[in-house]
Amino acid sequence: MIRSVSYSAKPVIPKMPNPIVLIAFNRPDLLQRQLETLHEYSGRTIFAIIDGPRPNRPDDVENVRLVLEQLDSLKQRFILHKLTSDTNLGVYKRIKSGLNWVFEQTEQAIILEDDCLPGPGFIDFTDEMLDRFADAEDIYSVSGTNLFPLLNTDRLRYFFCRYHNCWGWATWARAWRKLLVERDEWLTLRKSPEFNRLFPNPRARLYWRHILDKTYSGEIQSWFYRWMLTCWVNNGLAVVPGANLISNLGSGDAATNTASSPFMNRPVGDISQFSRTPDSSSPFSDYDITLEDTMYSKSLMNRFRWLSRKLQSR
């Protein structure tokens, strides 16, 4: 007896859950809070990126040891890969080299630094957006942070933004591989008409020229400003959730870049109440303007507020 067997054109391959990248250093207390939120995602691959202790900070040795111990405890529930360093590479070199390592092994990933506490909907939202926009060449990242959720009067599940945020985010290897790391690339762009096109607002243009000059000269050790410029040059947009899904806990003496930011400890919202999707991939201009005016170059009123907070914190 001859049996007829039909084959599908493509084999059905079970979808693998997106890996989670954990970036940690010397704050075991914050890392522990974060790990407690990830229990329900057992079985996933975790890429852990850890910097080494600073030579002038003896307490780093013990704190880094505790962080490594916490991460090793994940082996019972996750597929753990660690990238460590015996010496301190610093924020820029550690995160850049770490994410290069990650995206040599996977095409997309969710990324959490140790001070970013995800709300209940963060992982599921980034999973959804990573898959939805995997082949969208104009989308470069998925943010978990919405600093101005009240602007979302249309109650959209997500919208698009020119500004990217690394407080709980996700991206694709196709985007990360374009990171602009060379100073000569910046100096060429700085003198070109393209730079003025990127920043039609003169205040923003002066601010970002100043920040990027300091970044590419090495005065500011930031991978993130390089990443933001990469996205702008390539017209790459960020996906922003309709509700805030991340609370950044990084204020305090141990924080590297956000010790006095007013954007810390924002409450997380409920993304499940939003189902509407945007009609187009155009950036949400009100959100972009508000972000530039309050977080970056700052309008005159916000500049005075910022200066007042600085003086009061002394």
Side-chain angles (χ1 to χ4, degrees):
M1 179 179 179
I2 300 174
R3 290 185 178 179
S4 174
V5 181
S6 61
Y7 296 92
S8 59
K10 284 186 176 182
V12 177
I13 301 175
K15 181 183 175 301
M16 295 294 290
N18 290 306
I20 299 171
V21 180
L22 300 180
I23 301 173
F25 175 36
N26 65 348
R27 296 183 285 186
D29 54 336
L30 292 184
L31 179 61
Q32 184 58 41
R33 289 189 64 178
Q34 186 184 84
L35 294 181
E36 289 169 1
T37 70
L38 300 178
H39 286 171
E40 64 182 286
Y41 299 99
S42 295
R44 294 205 186 206
T45 295
I46 286 186
F47 293 103
I49 302 168
I50 309 98
D51 206 354
R54 295 165 292 186
N56 59 336
R57 293 290 297 271
D59 53 327
D60 277 359
V61 175
E62 176 62 11
N63 284 329
V64 171
R65 186 192 70 79
L66 290 172
V67 163
L68 291 171
E69 193 174 272
Q70 288 172 320
L71 292 168
D72 282 339
S73 71
L74 298 177
K75 291 177 181 178
Q76 298 176 356
R77 304 190 309 276
F78 297 90
I79 303 167
L80 179 67
H81 302 282
K82 290 189 304 184
L83 184 65
T84 62
S85 175
D86 293 332
T87 59
N88 185 265
L89 301 178
V91 174
Y92 168 55
K93 289 183 179 179
R94 174 69 296 179
I95 294 181
K96 177 177 74 72
S97 62
L99 291 181
N100 287 346
W101 168 72
V102 168
F103 288 115
E104 288 169 358
Q105 303 174 73
T106 185
E107 288 301 311
Q108 56 192 46
I110 300 164
I111 304 162
L112 284 165
E113 294 190 43
D114 56 7
D115 55 2
C116 296
L117 189 65
F122 169 73
I123 298 292
D124 293 339
F125 176 79
T126 46
D127 275 342
E128 176 190 344
M129 296 299 119
L130 279 173
D131 294 338
R132 181 188 293 266
F133 295 108
D135 299 321
E137 294 294 328
D138 59 336
I139 307 300
Y140 269 48
S141 77
V142 180
S143 176
T145 300
N146 181 337
L147 293 174
F148 311 105
L150 295 181
L151 292 177
N152 183 26
T153 55
D154 290 335
R155 299 177 65 79
L156 296 172
R157 183 166 179 79
Y158 63 87
F159 55 86
F160 302 97
C161 176
R162 286 189 67 238
Y163 293 80
H164 299 254
N165 192 298
C166 63
W167 295 350
W169 64 297
T171 191
W172 301 267
R174 61 166 171 79
W176 180 256
R177 291 183 186 125
K178 297 179 182 179
L179 184 69
L180 295 172
V181 297
E182 300 300 331
R183 186 166 183 259
D184 287 347
E185 294 177 297
W186 158 241
L187 293 177
T188 299
L189 175 65
R190 187 186 192 280
K191 300 172 185 177
S192 72
E194 173 72 2
F195 185 73
N196 291 345
R197 183 193 69 78
L198 292 175
F199 301 102
N201 181 327
R203 168 169 45 84
R205 191 182 312 150
L206 288 171
Y207 173 84
W208 285 108
R209 182 181 288 125
H210 173 69
I211 290 295
L212 292 165
D213 277 343
K214 293 177 75 173
T215 297
Y216 281 92
S217 70
E219 188 175 346
I220 296 177
Q221 290 294 311
S222 172
W223 66 271
F224 177 67
Y225 290 142
R226 289 173 169 87
W227 169 243
M228 190 97 89
L229 181 64
T230 300
C231 297
W232 287 333
V233 167
N234 291 282
N235 297 311
L237 298 175
V239 179
V240 179
N244 183 45
L245 304 178
I246 292 285
S247 184
N248 190 311
L249 309 179
S251 58
D253 294 338
T256 304
N257 295 315
T258 56
S260 61
S261 172
F263 296 104
M264 300 295 97
N265 299 294
R266 292 292 181 95
V268 296
D270 181 8
I271 193 67
S272 67
Q273 64 181 306
F274 301 134
S275 58
R276 289 190 58 197
T277 57
D279 295 330
S280 73
S281 60
S282 298
F284 184 9
S285 59
D286 285 352
Y287 189 89
D288 283 343
I289 291 168
T290 303
L291 198 56
E292 180 68 45
D293 284 352
T294 58
M295 194 171 193
Y296 296 116
S297 63
K298 299 181 180 68
S299 63
L300 185 59
M301 180 179 296
N302 283 309
R303 180 64 58 177
F304 279 126
R305 290 172 179 165
W306 170 81
L307 181 59
S308 176
R309 283 194 301 268
K310 283 282 186 182
L311 293 174
Q312 291 174 10
S313 65
R314 289 183 178 178

